Amino acid sequence: MLGGCGVTGGSGSGRSEAGVLDLRDWSFQRQGAVGLNGEWGFTWNALVPPAELQGQWPEGFDTASVPDQWRVDAGGGDRFKRHGYATYFLRVLLPPDAPALSLKVRDVGTAYRVFVDGQLLHQAGRVGRDAASTTPGFQRQLVPLPAPDSGEYRIVFHVANFHYRSGGLWEYLVLGASDDVRRHYEQALGLSIALASAIGAIGLYHLGLYSLRRKDSSPLFFGLVCLITSARLLSTDERYITELWPGISHDALFRLEYLSFLLALPTFGAYFSRLLPGYYPTWAMRMIYVLGLGFSSGVAITPMSVYSPWLPVFQIYLLLTCGVGLYAMARAALERREEAAAFLVGFAILIFTAVADLLSSRDVINTPHFLIGFGLFSFIIIQSYALSRRSAQAFAAVESLTSELEAYSTNLEEKVQQRTAELGDANAKLEQMAMIDGLTQINNRRQFDTALAREWPAHARRKASLSLLILDIDNFKAFNDSYGHLKGDEVLVRVAGALSSALSRPNDLVARYGGEEFVVLLPDTDAEGAWNVAERLLASVAVLNIPHQASDIGHLSLSIGVATLVPEHAGDAASLLEQADQHLYAAKAAGRNRISGNPEP
């Protein structure tokens, strides 16, 4: 629940003053990336066009601290209202040997646009001047920056918030060498994934323990705690869940973040009350359950603008829950209960790392990135050890009763494993058969549809070219009429083999689309590359020199339609198929045995 404090993304931090950050003496190669924190130029209730900020800063401009949130000032004025829109601007003076740079953008509240030297480089959500025209959005991004014109960057943020409890640039922005920034991002993301996976696996393990021995429900609630914690790790900090679920909305992301916090507290309480029964006051546990479920229901059914202002109340609820837990654990520790001692040790490590991570994020001390993650993992491991010890003691007490069943259980387990393996092999074969064309033994239309549905959003995110070829055997009905259907099937097999052999990249996919039609999906391929592949495929069938008396050229040939698009999230993959199909008909209309595409090389 304390995760997400560490926000530094590089090895150093700058401090801007009056909207200017002087990095002329900074070495990105030696000192690493830098946090763009400090005073930024700021205008409230104005979306200043970037072009107006390329010369001198406007006279009398205000300043705002970054990172920070919008707050209502003590006088009740409108300088820092929680809802509104604003322009942030910063002039960054660069060293003469600055390498290619990138900007890492973290959470911004709650819709924003990023301009650098007047160019719009990135945006999340829709920035407006009221709630109706503003759409919250989240997209953690590494933004490659263009080469500076005059040894400096002018960075402008348009920020709007009408839905969350507060807005603004509330987390560090990191500027650094592109490779360095990406490496730090990938390290942080990898660590987040590793922690979430490990804790999730521990949770599943304890749920499995509970399923085997339901008399003790503490493994059940501990397993739920681990799964909720894993979900929170995925939905906070680097927010890896946005990679697993690219279409997740801003609203759903924040609901998951809040619910993983609120549901964890009564689940923690249920776990500890069963780990040490009799030490928790009954009234306190009822209060924890009622408040946790009540708050969670409110978050689930109300809009973000309603539940997010309650965050201070939720935090007080967290402190009360922790206070009750510490009271109960202290009582148990005084009576020398081993489980209480394990909890207190784990809790002390967690609190120490949380405080250290918080101080590091405020530049008070320097600690390894995401120290809180190790503290949380240590806490989970210690609790897992305590439960394992308790389970071991319980099993030892009944060991004499289970020894007679050991041989039978071992044999049964082997049979179950063998049967599971057989079923797994059968399922794997069935799944493979469902994706393979029975005649040609290449991919079928179902496999092609699956691949196209996967590659379209992936290329949309990367803004990469995706190419598609539709191939049709010319005059194939006449071939069947002349040589027979068995010969036609043989030809389909030979053509499929030739097409497969002509593709050189492992990611390229050839499939039988239906009848005598084939499709070839070419990821990360522009129009010229797709045309080259089409020529190679045309030649691969011509080399077979299959006689075809109904063909004008005397042998079997293909007509190929080529289409290339840079997919868009709002687009439809069917448009790529339609273009390729239109070009196929154009190739046939032009005389067959040819390629048609737009543009043609």
Side-chain angles (χ1 to χ4, degrees), residues 449-494:
D449 290 340
T450 301
L452 181 58
R454 179 182 66 248
E455 295 294 346
W456 183 269
H459 283 66
R461 287 196 303 272
R462 301 197 308 270
K463 300 187 183 306
S465 296
L466 180 64
S467 294
L468 175 65
L469 281 59
I470 299 184
L471 308 89
D472 187 81
I473 300 177
D474 295 328
N475 299 308
F476 189 69
K477 182 179 182 303
F479 184 93
N480 279 334
D481 292 341
S482 300
Y483 298 95
H485 288 280
L486 292 178
K487 190 67 175 179
D489 288 347
E490 179 184 337
V491 165
L492 289 174
V493 173
R494 294 182 63 188

Side-chain angles (χ1 to χ4, degrees), residues 103-115:
L103 180 67
K104 181 180 181 182
V105 182
R106 299 173 63 88
D107 288 359
V108 176
T110 51
Y112 65 95
R113 296 191 292 250
V114 185
F115 301 87

Side-chain angles (χ1 to χ4, degrees), residues 364-421:
V364 177
I365 61 176
N366 185 21
T367 62
H369 177 67
F370 207 61
L371 185 62
I372 179 65
F374 290 108
L376 182 61
F377 185 67
S378 299
F379 179 76
I380 294 292
I381 287 294
I382 291 175
Q383 296 308 309
S384 180
Y385 169 77
L387 278 180
S388 299
R389 181 180 176 85
R390 182 178 180 178
S391 298
Q393 291 172 344
F395 286 135
V398 297
E399 188 175 13
S400 60
L401 298 177
T402 59
S403 59
E404 296 178 1
L405 300 175
E406 189 172 311
Y408 174 77
S409 298
T410 301
N411 184 46
L412 179 60
E413 183 177 352
E414 290 177 354
K415 289 182 178 180
V416 170
Q417 291 178 349
Q418 180 181 358
R419 183 57 178 165
T420 301

Side-chain angles (χ1 to χ4, degrees), residues 504-531:
S504 57
R505 300 187 308 176
N507 291 335
D508 295 341
L509 181 140
V510 61
R512 185 183 178 192
Y513 198 63
E516 68 272 21
E517 279 192 342
F518 297 84
V519 288
V520 176
L521 187 62
L522 302 173
D524 297 298
T525 304
D526 59 15
E528 181 178 356
W531 191 276

Side-chain angles (χ1 to χ4, degrees), residues 55 113 169 184 522 566:
R113 296 191 292 250
L169 298 179
H184 279 286
L522 302 173
V566 176

